[in-house]
Amino acid sequence: GCTQAGSLNYAAADVSSNFQATAKTAILFIQPQYNVTTLSSEGEVTLYHYGWKDCATILFYFFIAIILHAVVQEYLLDKVNRRLHLSKSKNTKFNESGQLCVFHLVSSVWSFYILITEGYLLHPSTLWENYPHVHLRFQVKFFYLTQLAYWLHALPELYFQKVRKEEISRQLQYICLYLLHISAAYLLNLSRVGLVLLFLQYVSELGFHIARLLYFTDENHQKMFDLWAVSFVFTRMSTLTLMFLAVGFGLARSEYQGLDLEMGNFNTVLIRMTVLLLVCLTQSWLLWKFIRFQLRRWREFRHEQAVRKKSAAKQPLRPLKRDSLGHHENGVLKAENGASPRTKKLKSP
């Protein structure tokens, strides 16, 4: 009896240890790692910094993003596509805008909530003061990890969605740009500035994809593109202004200058100039594409107007019907001898 009890206790302890090991492994994928508890005016606060274990968390939410992508596609976009009967090319763009519209809407609301609760909008100087911003709150770190997971999941989705070859290069461009900028803001401890820039970018992109969805449902809906054009230019100007204010002037006057990997300080002249150059080149490239897009729309509009005028000018005048009793002159029916014919009375219905 004692032997059986001992074996049962050993088995229970073995199961318990296996369960604890499994739970620790699961938490590594589900919950952000590298938490540090500090004391503040609010009491004990748990903050986070980054490390290589973040790759496991990103991988987990990478698969979650693929699942959510499939759910939105099957239960929302496919049902709308069956009703609209779009062509194959328009169907691909409709699915792209539908997926990005949902993502940008959620990310815009989420980032705006973080900016309000963290006080970054009410106190813009906190975007660069007390740099480096190594320790992050849970919602900030989790936001960045899910953002990286989403844009990484967009790469295999190009294959799953069977995107046409001529569209792959365009989509790869903006996916890689998002990954580059989000990773740079996260790794260089510029998370506060990155949050504001992502919020501005997502709001602008949300307007574009809503305009494109409305255009696919009815081609007469083009006023949303004009509103998006205004927000696009405003976003580019705001992004450049904020980057020069925060990185070009704010970090340049910071007390902590130099490169210190242990402290997470990347405040050097070379890194600041590299970050500013990267942002300026990206914004200039986006503006150039925007100008080309607007010029193409303007040329297409002028071409349509010219075609309409030519078609209206080529339309032959309707020949006047001659009556057997006479002919028309100045809208009055005349008889052959010049006398007006007698008018017939119309019968009442």
Side-chain angles (χ1 to χ4, degrees), residues 86-105:
L86 299 175
S87 62
K88 189 174 181 180
S89 61
K90 288 185 177 180
N91 188 21
T92 303
K93 294 181 179 180
F94 182 86
N95 291 333
E96 177 193 358
S97 290
Q99 293 286 348
L100 290 174
C101 191
V102 174
F103 170 74
H104 288 317
L105 177 61

Side-chain angles (χ1 to χ4, degrees), residues 86-128:
L86 299 175
S87 62
K88 189 174 181 180
S89 61
K90 288 185 177 180
N91 188 21
T92 303
K93 294 181 179 180
F94 182 86
N95 291 333
E96 177 193 358
S97 290
Q99 293 286 348
L100 290 174
C101 191
V102 174
F103 170 74
H104 288 317
L105 177 61
V106 174
S107 298
S108 299
V109 175
W110 190 3
S111 58
F112 182 73
Y113 172 78
I114 295 175
L115 293 174
I116 292 296
T117 54
E118 295 294 328
Y120 298 154
L121 290 183
L122 299 178
H123 304 90
S125 60
T126 57
L127 298 178
W128 59 83

Side-chain angles (χ1 to χ4, degrees), residues 147-177:
Q147 292 295 309
L148 291 171
Y150 180 86
W151 289 112
L152 282 173
H153 113 280
L155 294 174
E157 285 295 341
L158 297 178
Y159 173 77
F160 295 149
Q161 296 293 323
K162 298 179 180 180
V163 178
R164 296 185 303 171
K165 292 183 179 180
E166 55 270 21
E167 290 288 328
I168 290 178
S169 61
R170 179 185 63 84
Q171 295 193 28
L172 276 176
Q173 287 175 357
Y174 71 76
I175 290 172
C176 293
L177 282 175

Side-chain angles (χ1 to χ4, degrees), residues 13-29:
D14 188 31
V15 171
S16 177
S17 62
N18 290 334
F19 177 77
Q20 291 178 359
T22 305
K24 290 181 179 179
T25 306
I27 290 175
L28 175 64
F29 286 90

Side-chain angles (χ1 to χ4, degrees), residues 227-264:
L227 295 176
W228 164 75
V230 175
S231 68
F232 182 88
V233 176
F234 174 78
T235 302
R236 305 285 77 77
M237 297 299 104
S238 300
T239 299
L240 292 173
T241 303
L242 181 61
M243 284 302 297
F244 278 101
L245 181 63
V247 178
F249 295 98
L251 293 184
R253 298 180 180 180
S254 176
E255 298 179 0
Y256 302 100
Q257 300 285 334
L259 180 62
D260 190 347
L261 296 180
E262 294 183 359
M263 295 294 296

